[in-house]
Amino acid sequence: MLLVFLFLDKANKEGLRNFSYRYETVHKDKPTEYKDAQIAYHDFEGTDKWTIRIEISGENEISAKHLSRIYEQYFKLHNPIVLVNESAAYLNKKMYPLVNEFERKLREFLYLRMTLYTGEKPKKVVEKLEEKDFGEIFEMLFVDEDFYKQYKMLVTKRPSSKSYFMSELAQMTERTTWDLLVGIVPNDYVKDHFLELTEHRNDVMHAHNISYEKYKRQKNSFQKAITFLNTEIEKLITYPVSQEDAEIAVDALYDKLVSIGKGFMKAVDLTQQIATIRISPEKIEQINKFLTICGQAAIDVSGVDFDEELVEQ
């Protein structure tokens, strides 16, 4: 299992040249062995750039833990560019089945919640849900738009103290779609940790370089979330909801899905409008300059010469 780091200068080169790491290997029915990590360096001729390559034997969780420790304890503070991190890659792959199971269990719960509703609307809801990504489902289930609007009005109304804002927030009512589907239940792990679950999912699906400690947190979070969903699914099978409750669930999901769809169509319309505009290369260059500066907060642009007609458009 391999780590490769790229350094853009030689500031820490001498100290890191002396790096060594001894690790233990555990084999079934064999005594513990101690080995030294294989370390190699490469200098890019004519530049200050160089790499260090660290390799240990084994393709397993123990090897991944060792490589994670090497990065976190010895190299992270030097801020290298990580070219290869087979520890994180291995842990990402270990997490993927759990993330996949969680998403499938979540959809299974949502579909079962609508089973007793008669008519075509449940089928339409299922079809629309299948089209949505995880972020859209998160927003649909756990964001109360009315509460969010109240919150924005509160914080923009006038400056005040933390205690004032906390007191006002405590008086606001939040009612999410998830509350309608599950009810207010104690220890609702999915609701209480959905932002955390979303972050962990993104780490796995986007191949982020996670540490072994974060991997353990991810694994624990998804196992607890899956356990909660299994319990809720079993409740629906054992004690099916009434026609009235099923209708409430379907209507709530359908309304949310339609509102998401409207937002998407606005984006499509805007994209189509932009696509019909013919812009010269010179104006594209000015647009890029303008957008770059807009993206930098508190930058003085008074001295920048923009095409006035372009800015107006």
Side-chain angles (χ1 to χ4, degrees):
M1 198 172 278
L2 185 65
L3 280 176
V4 181
F5 302 126
L6 169 66
F7 292 87
L8 302 180
D9 57 54
K10 298 180 179 180
N12 303 301
K13 188 174 181 179
E14 291 306 314
L16 293 175
R17 281 282 192 184
N18 299 319
F19 174 76
S20 63
Y21 186 82
R22 172 159 284 200
Y23 62 99
E24 61 182 28
T25 59
V26 180
H27 301 283
K28 188 176 181 181
D29 300 327
K30 290 184 179 181
T32 299
E33 291 184 295
Y34 290 89
K35 294 184 177 182
D36 291 314
Q38 301 299 306
I39 301 172
Y41 303 89
H42 175 74
D43 294 303
F44 291 91
E45 188 175 349
T47 75
D48 289 338
K49 299 177 179 64
W50 60 284
T51 62
I52 181 170
R53 172 191 173 102
I54 305 165
E55 187 171 5
I56 64 175
S57 61
E59 292 285 333
N60 51 56
E61 196 168 314
I62 295 174
S63 301
K65 183 178 180 180
H66 281 301
L67 282 185
S68 177
R69 182 184 298 162
I70 288 172
Y71 173 62
E72 294 293 326
Q73 294 185 6
Y74 300 103
F75 285 89
K76 189 174 182 179
L77 64 112
H78 299 294
N79 197 31
I81 295 173
V82 181
L83 298 182
V84 179
N85 187 339
E86 291 187 353
S87 167
Y90 176 85
L91 298 174
N92 285 152
K93 290 176 184 176
K94 289 271 288 185
M95 279 303 306
Y96 181 79
L98 275 177
V99 174
N100 185 272
E101 182 180 359
F102 169 72
E103 292 197 27
R104 290 182 178 279
K105 289 291 182 182
L106 180 59
R107 291 177 187 275
E108 180 183 353
F109 168 75
L110 294 176
Y111 300 162
L112 279 174
R113 186 64 177 79
M114 302 178 291
T115 51
L116 290 183
Y117 188 96
T118 57
E120 290 295 314
K121 193 178 282 188
K123 183 180 178 181
K124 292 179 181 179
V125 170
V126 170
E127 290 173 351
K128 287 183 177 292
L129 277 173
E130 288 292 342
E131 298 170 358
K132 303 304 175 188
D133 62 33
F134 196 69
E136 290 172 321
I137 293 176
F138 159 70
E139 181 180 340
M140 178 187 71
L141 293 175
F142 294 95
V143 175
D144 180 349
E145 293 178 1
D146 291 335
F147 173 82
Y148 184 58
K149 289 175 183 177
Q150 292 181 61
Y151 164 75
K152 287 199 295 185
M153 289 178 61
L154 173 66
V155 297
T156 57
K157 185 166 57 176
R158 62 185 176 88
S160 191
S161 65
K162 177 181 177 180
S163 60
Y164 168 77
F165 287 127
M166 294 296 288
S167 175
E168 290 294 307
L169 282 171
Q171 297 178 48
M172 294 181 186
T173 301
E174 182 184 25
R175 189 67 168 167
T176 65
T177 304
W178 186 257
D179 293 332
L180 292 173
L181 300 176
V182 179
I184 308 300
V185 299
N187 303 316
D188 184 338
Y189 193 87
V190 174
K191 178 182 178 180
D192 294 341
H193 297 83
F194 208 96
L195 282 175
E196 177 186 324
L197 291 165
T198 302
E199 177 190 339
H200 291 334
R201 178 197 178 273
N202 288 342
D203 284 339
V204 175
M205 303 306 290
H206 297 289
H208 292 168
N209 288 325
I210 60 172
S211 67
Y212 183 76
E213 293 302 315
K214 189 165 191 180
Y215 158 74
K216 289 197 298 183
R217 294 196 299 273
Q218 290 178 346
K219 185 177 179 180
N220 181 61
S221 290
F222 278 106
Q223 286 175 336
K224 288 184 176 180
I226 290 168
T227 298
F228 178 82
L229 288 173
N230 280 335
T231 300
E232 293 302 311
I233 289 169
E234 186 62 30
K235 286 181 187 177
L236 290 175
I237 294 172
T238 308
Y239 308 104
V241 298
S242 66
Q243 168 72 21
E244 182 180 355
D245 283 343
E247 185 175 341
I248 291 172
V250 172
D251 289 344
L253 288 171
Y254 186 80
D255 291 344
K256 283 284 186 179
L257 287 165
V258 168
S259 65
I260 292 174
K262 287 179 179 177
F264 174 74
M265 288 311 299
K266 287 180 181 178
V268 171
D269 290 342
L270 180 58
T271 303
Q272 290 175 337
Q273 291 175 30
I274 293 173
T276 63
I277 301 174
R278 295 183 179 179
I279 305 177
S280 67
E282 293 77 16
K283 290 189 184 294
I284 289 175
E285 184 179 351
Q286 290 193 350
I287 289 173
N288 287 334
K289 189 196 309 183
F290 179 72
L291 293 176
T292 299
I293 293 175
C294 284
Q296 300 172 357
I299 295 295
D300 181 10
V301 298
S302 58
V304 180
D305 183 23
F306 291 114
D307 184 294
E308 292 184 4
E309 180 183 356
L310 174 64
V311 173
E312 183 178 357
Q313 290 177 3

